[in-house]
Amino acid sequence: METSEIHSVKAAASHHGRLNPNSMLGGAFCILAAVFLFYVVPTHINMPPYMQNALLSPRFLPQVAGWLVFSLSFLLMIDGIMKPPKRAESDDLRRGVPLTRQALLLAAGVIYAIFFEELGAMGSGMLASAFLFLASDLRGLRIYALAIVFPVVVTLLFIYVLNVPLPVGTLWEVIFQI
């Protein structure tokens, strides 16, 4: 082999190339941020007619967050295209993740998102935490007690300290007639 062929083989093995995780994630988050900025915020966040100062508007913080996500993900995408990241030894370790662990992690997110209204913040948080602990191969009664205590503390913190109303859950309202 010639020297240039050997160099290109080594470079291909050590770099991701132009379609690397940074540029793909940056592009995906750019698209999501654009949808958020130009569709979700204008159609779902209403501005009161008496609003005189734009900084006090309910749209202000979501727009700032959306533009930050858009600009940072655009920079990530450009950086991934200009300087592809090198492959790390940890990339090979991730290939051996069991399918059950991946399914439990995905189930935790789906349970939290879908059952947030029905089970409330506490119930869905407890269930999602238990699934995350199962996926992490954590065993022990003390660990699973944290799956109960942590969502309760966070929910009460949001409700009573930060004054952010979180759903109690339609299931609990029916059972306890709250």
Side-chain angles (χ1 to χ4, degrees):
M1 273 200 229
E2 292 182 21
T3 308
S4 62
E5 289 178 13
I6 293 171
H7 181 67
S8 66
V9 168
K10 287 182 180 177
S14 66
H15 287 78
H16 286 283
R18 295 289 177 212
L19 285 176
N20 57 63
N22 288 351
S23 57
M24 289 189 302
L25 282 173
F29 281 121
C30 268
I31 293 168
L32 288 173
V35 168
F36 178 77
L37 284 169
F38 299 113
Y39 174 71
V40 174
V41 170
T43 58
H44 295 291
I45 300 177
N46 298 326
M47 288 208 21
Y50 58 85
M51 188 64 56
Q52 294 178 5
N53 190 352
L55 292 177
L56 298 176
S57 165
R59 289 185 183 175
F60 179 70
L61 285 178
Q63 285 177 334
V64 168
W67 282 110
L68 280 173
V69 169
F70 182 81
S71 59
L72 291 175
S73 58
F74 183 75
L75 288 174
L76 180 67
M77 180 178 65
I78 297 301
D79 186 56
I81 291 171
M82 301 303 266
K83 297 181 279 184
K86 295 182 179 181
R87 291 191 186 270
E89 291 178 17
S90 62
D91 292 338
D92 295 331
L93 293 174
R94 281 184 250 161
R95 292 184 186 167
V97 177
L99 189 59
T100 55
R101 179 175 288 177
Q102 294 175 15
L104 284 170
L105 291 171
L106 184 64
V110 169
I111 284 171
Y112 192 78
I114 291 177
F115 295 113
F116 191 73
E117 290 290 327
E118 287 80 18
L119 297 177
M122 281 189 213
S124 61
M126 288 177 200
L127 212 56
S129 296
F131 272 80
L132 289 173
F133 290 163
L134 279 172
S136 301
D137 285 335
L138 296 173
R139 304 287 182 244
L141 192 57
R142 290 182 183 172
I143 295 295
Y144 286 98
L146 283 177
I148 295 169
V149 171
F150 188 70
V152 169
V153 169
V154 169
T155 303
L156 294 176
L157 176 78
F158 268 86
I159 292 172
Y160 293 110
V161 176
L162 300 174
N163 292 325
V164 176
L166 293 177
V168 177
T170 55
L171 178 68
W172 306 118
E173 289 175 352
V174 170
I175 292 175
F176 297 115
Q177 299 296 324
I178 297 174

